[in-house]
Amino acid sequence: MPLKLGPAGVPLSCKGRTIVEGMDDITVLGLDAMEVQTVRTIQPQHFDQYWQAGILSWNSDFEMNMHGPYYAELLGSKRERNRTLSKMETSLQAGKIINARHLTFHVGPYGECQPGSETNEQVANILAGVVDRVREVWGVAEEEEDYAAFPWVHEAEPSLVGVETSGRQELWGTVEEVLEVCNHVEGTVPVLNMGHIHARGHGRLRTSEDYAELFDQARETFGGSTFYCHFAGVEHRMGNALHYTQIKKSDLKFEPFAEFLAEEGDWMDITIISDSPLLEHDAMYMLQHYDKARQRLLEIRARDERRAKLAAQTGMDPEELKRKEEEAAAARKAQLAEEQGKTTKKPVKKTAAKGS
Amino acid sequence: MHVSPEGSAGFATMNQGNLDWRVALDSAHWLVNSSSTVLEGDAPRGAWGASMAFAELEGSRSVMVVGVPESPELLAEAWGSVIERIRQIHLLFFESDALGAIAELEGIEPESLLSSVRDRGLVPIVCSYDSETRKACVEHALGSTEVLTSATMAPESWLAAFLCKLPLSGPGKLGLEKAARAETD
């Protein structure tokens, strides 16, 4: 399963602050993705480093992505929508330069709209326009010579437009809404922000089965196998995200997600971005847990294979062999505990004697 | 800890690697930073970011003071750096002259800036204090609080008093109001 992991922004531990320096640090950490935060208007001086980052990502397996404007009001008044679209235009121009594989956008508050298919259709129409604009911006034949040094502009697929789930009740972006819109607009991809989904669902992501249910829902509704996720700890109340926290401090744990990915994620092409306050630290934490989950799974599979082989050789039923092995393991455990009990009893006596 | 003489260039060229943030934080409840520090040079910018990462690890809460820098044209850069770190900030304080300028940068009405930043950035507390009107505005998880302080205070004095009172003023909206009044005992 292709899995890419990385932080949302230049790593906190990076001494430099440019994107290219950040990419170097991320690669050294064994991670392979990054989401550039263009939450505000892009300054012209940023474009130089964007080109450099684009070249670096084109020549390596490093996946660059971009996050759109911080404030989005696509369902607001005409003025608010146009303001958001103009910020999105800057992001998608920058996305082309940086060779972004995903451009993540929020939709913003429902405003005067009511949740439902009519509002979803409105969002779908706006995002269809954004997808068209991305395709217009990428690979203009007349500009091929101008972009000779930046081959991805003509050779790579344009960025996918990511539609992010929201973490508050008053914001458009439940899982169902996002999947419905992505299903109707080609060129979009759902951005499953696990912290937001967990918060909005009153803490719904607790076990690997919960993740399986979420991705089954995504597979059935959206149909694709490419996913882009955000993961961070979150404090939440009454179905609203209150604050991002490091993963260890949250009731949203990564272990069940890692377990799900290792056991059932073979069909997925997934990128996970850490947007925790401890950006790359938590991205590393996720990578470690994913590796552990895979290791555990490989051990289980190897044991099952060995058992089946042994059962065939001895003419036993594999289930019976499993039961016998479990009994033997339990007996070994009991014996070990007994031995440990004997050795630890002595010092206890000594301390008691000293105390008296 | 690095201590540079006032107005010296030493601050910009300090060796940020010499700072032991674990020792410096020493279980402090609050870590207070200013948005203008990022404009002082690479080393202060690095130290500024590192302090917040260590605060997160050590359990201290980060406070960010957003003001208009000496060169107002650099406000966009300073605010952009704050936004990059918004997930690490627990309390965001806007000096009153920065409110209008940031609202203009973001293209939103100054009146709704505090609540918008809180909602979009998921910052637990966003506040400001206007010395002229003695009005403190606090946006928090339980809604909005506006109180008048009994005495005129400098913004940094109000913030200091608010931070000191906040852990002691009790839970809920009433506790926040009490802390925002920033009355000395």
Side-chain angles (χ1 to χ4, degrees):
Chain A
M1 174 194 62
L3 165 70
K4 287 188 181 282
L5 260 163
V10 175
L12 303 171
S13 56
C14 180
K15 290 221 167 167
R17 291 305 298 166
T18 67
I19 294 168
V20 175
E21 286 166 320
M23 289 169 80
D24 284 345
D25 277 27
I26 291 168
T27 309
V28 168
L29 292 170
L31 304 168
D32 40 20
M34 180 186 191
E35 186 183 80
V36 180
Q37 306 293 295
T38 56
V39 285
R40 289 203 54 261
T41 312
I42 298 160
Q43 308 290 320
Q45 67 265 29
H46 293 154
F47 276 85
D48 272 353
Q49 49 165 315
Y50 284 178
W51 281 123
Q52 289 175 32
I55 291 168
L56 197 57
S57 81
W58 177 248
N59 290 323
S60 65
D61 274 342
F62 197 96
E63 183 182 297
M64 288 304 288
N65 304 288
M66 185 157 271
H67 199 293
Y70 178 58
Y71 293 105
E73 287 161 314
L74 286 179
L75 292 172
S77 64
K78 197 175 173 189
R79 183 168 157 259
E80 288 167 338
R81 186 168 61 247
N82 287 341
R83 200 166 50 204
T84 305
L85 286 172
S86 110
K87 286 181 185 175
M88 285 165 89
E89 167 75 18
T90 321
S91 299
L92 61 93
Q93 291 279 359
K96 174 181 86 169
I97 298 171
I98 213 165
N99 187 21
R101 298 292 84 223
H102 302 91
L103 298 166
T104 301
F105 294 121
H106 296 286
V107 169
Y110 286 105
E112 302 293 312
C113 303
Q114 291 299 315
S117 50
E118 206 175 301
T119 302
N120 295 348
E121 203 178 313
Q122 197 178 331
V123 173
N125 287 336
I126 297 169
L127 289 174
V130 174
V131 171
D132 287 346
R133 182 68 191 134
V134 171
R135 289 175 179 169
E136 267 173 41
V137 164
W138 280 69
V140 180
E142 301 86 71
E143 291 177 353
E144 195 156 350
E145 236 173 71
D146 299 341
Y147 288 107
F150 315 112
W152 64 88
V153 174
H154 296 282
E155 292 174 27
E157 286 292 312
S159 315
L160 288 169
V161 173
V163 190
E164 187 167 350
T165 53
S166 75
R168 298 182 68 81
Q169 304 291 332
E170 75 270 19
L171 302 177
W172 184 93
T174 62
V175 178
E176 291 74 17
E177 286 169 338
V178 168
L179 291 175
E180 189 186 328
V181 165
C182 290
N183 188 32
H184 282 93
V185 185
E186 204 193 326
T188 58
V189 64
V191 176
L192 302 174
N193 186 319
M194 298 303 175
H196 289 169
I197 294 170
H198 183 69
R200 205 163 173 162
H202 304 268
R204 68 177 267 197
L205 298 174
R206 292 187 183 273
T207 64
S208 61
E209 287 78 19
D210 295 334
Y211 286 96
E213 202 178 300
L214 173 67
F215 282 97
D216 279 349
Q217 182 187 3
R219 181 156 51 171
E220 281 161 21
T221 322
F222 167 60
S225 62
T226 304
F227 291 100
Y228 188 74
C229 303
H230 281 183
F231 202 99
V234 67
E235 277 174 26
H236 57 96
R237 194 171 55 216
M238 310 281 283
N240 288 311
L242 296 178
H243 185 54
Y244 293 108
T245 67
Q246 48 179 298
I247 296 173
K248 278 185 186 170
K249 287 188 180 171
S250 171
D251 67 341
L252 175 65
K253 303 292 178 202
F254 188 72
E255 288 89 329
F257 191 17
E259 203 178 300
F260 162 74
L261 290 173
E263 288 179 9
E264 298 176 54
D266 285 344
W267 58 281
M268 296 158 74
D269 175 355
I270 187 165
T271 303
I272 304 176
I273 296 295
S274 160
D275 57 354
S276 133
L278 295 177
L279 293 176
E280 75 277 18
H281 303 265
D282 272 347
M284 294 289 293
Y285 176 85
M286 290 190 243
L287 183 62
Q288 282 168 2
H289 276 285
Y290 175 66
D291 285 344
K292 266 188 207 169
R294 276 191 53 181
Q295 187 63 34
R296 218 168 21 241
L297 187 72
L298 289 174
E299 281 170 13
I300 292 169
R301 281 185 185 158
R303 199 178 57 203
D304 288 349
E305 274 175 26
R306 185 192 58 80
R307 187 180 290 142
K309 215 170 165 182
L310 197 64
Q313 279 172 1
T314 55
M316 283 172 80
D317 176 39
E319 281 304 309
E320 193 189 339
L321 187 63
K322 186 183 174 186
R323 193 174 45 76
K324 282 192 173 177
E325 279 180 354
E326 280 170 359
E327 279 171 11
R332 268 201 309 275
K333 214 174 171 181
Q335 194 185 348
L336 201 67
E338 199 179 319
E339 280 169 14
Q340 274 179 346
K342 275 179 192 169
T343 50
T344 49
K345 266 180 191 170
K346 282 177 190 170
V348 172
K349 275 183 187 172
K350 273 184 187 171
T351 6
K354 271 182 189 172
S356 61
Chain B
M1 180 60 67
H2 177 88
V3 181
S4 57
E6 204 173 329
S8 104
F11 185 61
T13 55
M14 67 173 171
N15 182 357
Q16 51 149 324
N18 287 343
L19 294 168
D20 186 339
W21 283 110
R22 282 207 161 91
V23 172
L25 286 166
D26 190 26
S27 308
H29 191 85
W30 301 108
L31 164 76
V32 184
N33 269 307
S34 159
S35 61
S36 301
T37 308
V38 294
L39 306 172
E40 300 284 335
D42 285 345
R45 174 188 273 267
W48 182 84
S51 70
M52 284 193 275
F54 275 100
E56 182 69 37
L57 285 165
E58 297 293 304
S60 300
R61 288 165 183 269
S62 281
V63 177
M64 183 61 64
V65 179
V66 181
V68 177
E70 279 179 25
S71 313
E73 67 276 12
L74 296 177
L75 178 67
E77 188 184 337
W79 176 239
S81 304
V82 171
I83 291 294
E84 273 183 30
R85 299 274 181 167
I86 198 96
R87 293 184 183 96
Q88 292 177 316
I89 297 169
H90 292 82
L91 192 150
L92 192 59
F93 175 73
F94 286 95
E95 289 177 0
S96 41
D97 55 347
L99 274 173
I102 302 272
E104 199 183 325
L105 269 179
E106 294 292 356
I108 51 179
E109 301 303 321
E111 301 77 46
S112 59
L113 180 73
L114 298 186
S115 59
S116 296
V117 170
R118 209 199 87 74
D119 286 347
R120 314 291 163 84
L122 294 183
V123 182
I125 296 177
V126 182
C127 55
S128 72
Y129 177 73
D130 185 355
S131 297
E132 281 179 21
T133 56
R134 294 185 285 113
K135 190 163 89 173
C137 301
V138 184
E139 290 289 334
H140 47 84
L142 304 169
S144 305
T145 296
E146 284 189 11
V147 294
L148 292 177
T149 56
S150 52
T152 301
M153 303 169 87
E156 60 271 26
S157 304
W158 177 83
L159 177 63
F162 181 55
L163 294 179
C164 290
K165 297 277 176 193
L166 205 51
L168 310 168
S169 57
K173 211 169 171 178
L174 284 176
L176 265 155
E177 275 177 23
K178 197 174 159 192
R181 273 188 220 107
E183 281 165 356
T184 47
D185 298 319

